[in-house]
Amino acid sequence: MNLFRLDASIMPGASTSAELADTAEAEWTAAHPEGTVTRRNLGTDPLPGDIWATAALAGFTPEDQRTPEQQEAAALGASLAAELSAADAAIIAVPLYNWGVSQHFKTWVDLVIAGAGPTAELLKGKPVVLVTSLGGGFAPGTPARAGTTPPRTSSASCATSGAPTSPPSAAS
């Protein structure tokens, strides 16, 4: 069993999403002690912000006519897609910044799609935990403490991608 873990926080030492993902990873590891974990951290190892456009254009260019930059971008997209495809399960930890996902995460998604193709179902049938968090500093004297920003929230969900899910029973 192979778990793929993606962290997208730009604050690796103080990330709520990474903290929640640590909990999910610990549970997965306890349930699969023989398993391996492949990690990608977009905060500490970001992808170039302009690489997706190059990879996307490479998809419309015959291989023998691609520029070296297009070849490199297409290869990176294929590598990222293969990394995700090889996983049996995934944890994706994505904090929300300015009411949306970070450019780092969006670039990763776009490169994976460019590398795998728009109809590839890389997560179909795999258990996936998506962890999101929203917030800021909450120490005394910070704007968040004064009520000028929304309260810190976090969530995690677990589903098997591509499979129907049913609501929890009244007993749960």
Side-chain angles (χ1 to χ4, degrees):
M1 294 287 295
N2 181 28
L3 173 70
F4 173 75
R5 175 171 169 176
L6 179 77
D7 285 286
S9 175
I10 61 171
M11 301 178 60
S15 170
T16 299
S17 61
E19 213 175 294
L20 292 166
D22 287 344
T23 301
E25 181 181 333
E27 288 186 25
W28 186 89
T29 302
H32 305 91
E34 75 295 344
T36 60
V37 179
T38 301
R39 292 181 183 84
R40 179 164 293 278
N41 190 315
L42 301 175
T44 58
D45 190 19
L47 301 167
D50 61 349
I51 199 163
W52 168 72
T54 306
L57 291 174
F60 295 102
T61 306
E63 281 192 49
D64 63 340
Q65 296 176 24
R66 291 179 184 170
T67 66
E69 293 81 14
Q70 287 175 324
Q71 292 171 3
E72 183 180 328
L76 178 57
S79 173
L80 294 174
E83 190 174 65
L84 186 57
S85 180
D88 299 302
I91 298 172
I92 300 175
V94 184
L96 302 176
Y97 300 123
N98 302 319
W99 309 108
V101 299
S102 70
Q103 169 264 335
H104 296 89
F105 178 68
K106 179 72 168 104
T107 298
W108 177 83
V109 168
D110 289 339
L111 273 172
V112 167
I113 292 170
T119 60
E121 298 178 332
L122 299 177
L123 296 175
K124 186 173 184 173
K126 296 179 185 185
V128 176
V129 174
L130 173 63
V131 177
T132 62
S133 60
L134 169 68
F138 289 85
T142 61
R145 193 66 173 262
T148 59
T149 60
R152 186 176 193 160
T153 60
S154 60
S155 64
S157 62
C158 181
T160 301
S161 178
T165 58
S166 56
S169 67
S172 47

